[in-house]
Amino acid sequence: DPAAHPPRRRPGEGRAMKVYIACGFEHAQDARDLATRLPKGWEWSYDWTGHTFDDSPLGVALRDRAGVRCSDAMIVLLPGGPGTHVEMGIAIGLCLPLCIVGHMPRKDPRWPWCPFYTLGHRAETVDEAVEWLSSLASERERREGGDG
């Protein structure tokens, strides 16, 4: 399926920047709510919240991966499940700007957080994540304005 393998976008190509919103399936409404609050110049790269357990797991995985690959940034809403962390790993591998909101419950007191969380901007609230996206858009505008 060619739609499952889109070419990787360069940051700032095209009009709107795209953000992938990752979270646990049980928190899909939180992703939809955040998508309605995206700042000017941003759009949701892929709305995965319509997936059902009747969908093909391979199809879901390919579409979610394609959604991350065509994004300019990712916001992770914690707590997240295994899929959330796989999507975050894809974003890290692509060197996408990453914002992690919230915290995972501590399961092992000797290992209180995932070391990969240090590779992203940390935000306590969704409001802070929206501000972070605005700052990325401002950086893009400064870069594009300075090229002329």
Side-chain angles (χ1 to χ4, degrees):
D1 178 7
H5 304 282
R8 174 78 179 100
R9 289 170 33 113
R10 291 181 171 270
E13 282 183 356
R15 302 199 95 231
M17 293 180 73
K18 296 184 178 216
V19 61
Y20 190 91
I21 303 169
C23 67
F25 192 74
E26 64 278 10
H27 300 289
Q29 186 59 50
D30 295 335
R32 287 189 291 267
D33 291 346
L34 172 55
T36 67
R37 300 182 55 203
L38 296 177
K40 181 181 176 190
W42 285 94
E43 62 185 38
W44 197 359
S45 63
Y46 176 62
D47 179 357
W48 53 264
T49 64
H51 293 328
T52 70
F53 291 107
D54 294 329
D55 292 339
S56 155
L58 176 60
V60 168
L62 291 173
R63 289 188 301 273
D64 287 1
R65 181 183 67 180
V68 175
R69 288 188 67 204
C70 74
S71 297
D72 298 296
M74 175 183 278
I75 295 177
V76 176
L77 303 175
L78 296 178
T84 304
H85 286 82
V86 168
E87 293 160 349
M88 185 174 80
I90 295 167
I92 290 169
L94 294 171
C95 298
L96 293 180
L98 175 67
C99 181
I100 301 165
V101 182
H103 302 278
M104 284 294 287
R106 292 184 176 185
K107 295 188 185 341
D108 183 341
R110 295 169 296 158
W111 195 254
W113 49 269
C114 173
F116 292 99
Y117 293 169
T118 63
L119 297 176
H121 174 80
R122 293 304 307 261
E124 292 295 321
T125 67
V126 169
D127 288 339
E128 290 177 26
V130 170
E131 289 175 25
W132 175 78
L133 279 179
S134 293
S135 71
L136 289 180
S138 295
E139 288 174 26
R140 180 181 96 166
E141 288 173 14
R142 280 195 299 277
R143 275 194 320 270
E144 289 178 354
D147 290 343

